[in-house]
Amino acid sequence: MVFNPKYLSIGFLLLFLNLRKLPIKDGLIIFLSASYIAVILGTIAVEEGMLDYPVRHLRDHFDSSLLFEMLYLPVFYLYFYRTTLYSRTFKL
């Protein structure tokens, strides 16, 4: 499959919208740490054969999906953090 810049622009738009509604320090810490952890765990999973990405950008240099591990997954973490920031714990 060929690289489509539409997916990259959607990812950056979602990142901008999520960072705008959070304190910038919290948002950057979550985004950067999630990217770091996702790249490490994704690389281990791909090298062990547990995971195979059908669409990979820069296929000659990386075995994992950079767009997913460095943009989409951390944006999902930001969205999860933003929606659960002021929620209370579940009371039984």
Side-chain angles (χ1 to χ4, degrees):
M1 196 169 203
V2 181
F3 174 70
N4 192 347
K6 176 175 42 173
Y7 299 127
L8 187 64
S9 60
I10 289 172
F12 280 122
L13 177 68
L14 291 174
L15 175 65
F16 174 72
L17 293 175
N18 276 326
L19 281 179
R20 203 174 55 142
K21 296 180 181 180
L22 286 174
I24 192 71
K25 181 181 75 170
D26 293 346
L28 286 177
I29 288 172
I30 292 168
F31 182 80
L32 294 174
S33 62
S35 296
Y36 183 72
I37 292 170
V39 166
I40 291 173
L41 293 179
T43 303
I44 292 171
V46 168
E47 287 180 357
E48 293 295 323
M50 296 184 282
L51 183 62
D52 184 33
Y53 290 105
V55 178
R56 291 182 291 152
H57 308 293
L58 300 173
R59 185 177 294 269
D60 298 334
H61 303 288
F62 298 101
D63 291 333
S64 61
S65 174
L66 295 180
L67 189 62
F68 176 75
E69 290 177 357
M70 297 183 105
L71 188 61
Y72 285 150
L73 191 61
V75 166
F76 174 74
Y77 288 162
L78 282 175
Y79 178 73
F80 182 76
Y81 176 74
R82 185 171 57 100
T83 56
T84 60
L85 181 60
Y86 297 110
S87 65
R88 296 182 181 179
T89 56
F90 183 69
K91 296 180 181 180
L92 294 175

